[in-house]
Amino acid sequence: MEYAPVIISVYNRYNHFRACVESLAACRGADKTDLFIALDAPYRDEDIPANLEIFEYAQKIDGFKSVTLF
């Protein structure tokens, strides 16, 4: 069976992003799925902390075939 890759586009909503990743990781076949994360650069200074929190969390994600952050 071939699995389709998954892409998550994220900016500054850490809690939503984390819930999404955890939900996907709990799915059957997650370990055979390539996960791509598109993290936009912060546009406003007040978004920098949330953006960095997402970046740090994304670097620690496992449970997927691969995780690519861009």
Side-chain angles (χ1 to χ4, degrees):
M1 178 180 267
E2 204 170 319
Y3 289 80
V6 173
I7 185 166
I8 302 171
S9 179
V10 62
Y11 177 66
N12 66 352
R13 295 183 177 192
Y14 172 78
N15 291 332
H16 292 90
F17 173 65
R18 186 172 179 161
C20 179
V21 170
E22 290 173 358
S23 178
L24 289 170
C27 293
R28 185 172 27 124
D31 61 332
K32 297 173 183 79
T33 302
D34 296 305
L35 177 63
F36 294 90
I37 302 165
L39 175 59
D40 288 341
Y43 177 73
R44 302 174 304 180
D45 289 342
E46 59 263 24
D47 293 330
I48 292 172
N51 196 269
L52 290 174
E53 188 174 28
I54 291 168
F55 179 76
E56 291 169 4
Y57 174 75
Q59 292 180 317
K60 299 174 187 173
I61 295 172
D62 60 0
F64 295 90
K65 180 179 175 184
S66 68
V67 178
T68 304
L69 176 63
F70 59 96

